[in-house]
Amino acid sequence: MGIILMLHSLVRFAILVIAAVAILKLGYGWLAKRPFDGMDRGLTSGFSGLMDAQALLGLIVLIGLGFTPVRIEHAITMIIAVVVAHLPMRWKTAPDAIRQRNNLLAIVASLVLVIVGLVIVTSSKGI
């Protein structure tokens, strides 16, 4: 279980890096009225894919360490964050500016939920 928990802790840094790059790229593209390109698509997909991997690792940790109220609260918040991270799929056919804005907002909203989930688990002295 220690390896899974360590991976669960490490994947969050990859999520933050991809999210930061995606926020900068999508924000610039939206403000500069640039076309939605392959890198935008890759960053958005990479973010949601890493969120999926993190959720899977988290569910394994949850099952392995047991269900407590704090872990359940954390898991529910993070699952909502994963759902929000997948919202960009809804805008696949939208015009570029709308697609960039909405994808940017989805990533930011997902990160806000991740922060809430981290506060839940850290304020209770760990998982």
Side-chain angles (χ1 to χ4, degrees):
M1 188 54 54
I3 292 172
I4 301 294
L5 188 55
M6 182 184 69
L7 285 172
H8 185 61
S9 293
L10 290 175
V11 169
R12 68 181 165 177
F13 296 112
I15 289 171
L16 288 174
V17 168
I18 294 293
V21 173
I23 288 169
L24 291 173
K25 177 79 170 73
L26 291 167
Y28 173 73
W30 176 42
L31 294 174
K33 299 184 185 345
R34 310 263 312 175
F36 191 90
D37 61 16
M39 186 174 179
D40 296 329
R41 189 173 19 269
L43 288 168
T44 304
S45 296
F47 178 74
S48 63
L50 282 171
M51 290 290 287
D52 289 343
Q54 185 73 332
L56 177 62
L57 291 168
L59 288 173
I60 293 169
V61 169
L62 180 63
I63 292 167
L65 295 180
F67 295 86
T68 65
V70 170
R71 289 182 191 142
I72 293 169
E73 241 181 286
H74 174 74
I76 290 170
T77 305
M78 294 308 199
I79 288 170
I80 295 169
V82 172
V83 169
V84 172
H86 281 278
L87 287 178
M89 290 300 296
R90 296 188 51 84
W91 303 298
K92 282 172 55 172
T93 59
D96 289 346
I98 292 171
R99 192 171 179 189
Q100 285 173 330
R101 181 199 64 200
N102 290 356
N103 288 1
L104 172 68
L105 292 175
I107 290 173
V108 169
S110 183
L111 283 179
V112 168
L113 287 165
V114 166
I115 291 167
V116 170
L118 288 172
V119 168
I120 290 168
V121 80
T122 57
S123 66
S124 68
K125 299 181 184 170
I127 203 157

